[in-house]
Amino acid sequence: MLVKFLKHPATVIATVALFVALGGGAAAYASGLINGSQIKNHSIPAKKLTKSAIQSLRGQRGPAGANGTPGAKGAKGDTGAPGSALAYAHVTGGGGVDAANSKNIASGNVSEVSTGLYCISGLSFTPHNVVVTVDFFNGGGTPTITATLGAAGGCPAGTQVTVGTEDGSPGTFAARAFYVLLN
């Protein structure tokens, strides 16, 4: 059988190579060329380790610590920049202006020419945008409010903003309080 084995040189070479490879590694380990003490700290990157190996190196997470004492109260901040509204007002149902909740619109700027139709004029600027909101706490029903830049309805020429307040059905004007914002 050994004679048959020796007649195949490729098998002999492969077998010898296998023994050399195995023996070389074993010989290197046995001679001390390779041992556990030669692996330096941080020489193996984490991406080459398995997840379980990384977890075993980290250990278990400890309990959370107690909250620290609160810090001292900070200093009061600076006053912010004023808003961008050129004018705003809370207009009462009769056309009066609530001065405490208004800027650059006074009672002299608002007139109620007929029930629920308000004309705003005499402003020191030209409004380019108007936003109105009905004051739901003054009155009942289902209010509707409209606003137009310029004169409309029964407002005279020179009116800068026209506001109409309705209760319920369209065309049924009613004196309602509202908020107006102009830019």
Side-chain angles (χ1 to χ4, degrees), residues 113-114 117 119 148 150-156 162 173:
V113 294
S114 63
L117 184 62
C119 307
T148 304
C155 288
T162 303
F173 288 98

Side-chain angles (χ1 to χ4, degrees), residues 20-179:
V20 170
L22 291 174
Y29 186 79
S31 67
L33 292 175
I34 299 174
N35 64 36
S37 65
Q38 287 186 325
I39 298 177
K40 304 227 185 286
N41 287 339
H42 308 290
S43 65
I44 300 175
K47 66 182 179 182
K48 295 207 177 210
L49 297 174
T50 64
K51 287 182 182 179
S52 61
I54 292 172
Q55 288 173 350
S56 69
L57 292 172
R58 286 188 182 147
Q60 295 218 349
R61 188 179 193 119
N67 288 339
T69 57
K73 184 176 179 181
K76 184 176 179 181
D78 296 334
T79 301
S84 65
L86 296 176
Y88 57 87
H90 177 226
V91 179
T92 64
V97 174
D98 175 9
N101 294 304
S102 301
K103 170 186 167 185
N104 295 331
I105 298 177
S107 291
N109 299 111
V110 181
S111 61
E112 185 179 23
V113 294
S114 63
T115 302
L117 184 62
Y118 304 91
C119 307
I120 301 174
S121 59
L123 301 172
S124 62
F125 61 92
T126 301
H128 298 283
N129 184 41
V130 58
V131 177
V132 292
T133 306
V134 72
D135 182 353
F136 283 100
F137 296 108
N138 281 316
T142 306
T144 304
I145 190 164
T146 58
T148 304
L149 289 174
C155 288
T159 298
Q160 292 168 289
V161 177
T162 303
V163 177
T165 58
E166 300 173 346
D167 259 343
S169 60
T172 309
F173 288 98
R176 295 295 301 243
F178 62 91
Y179 296 92

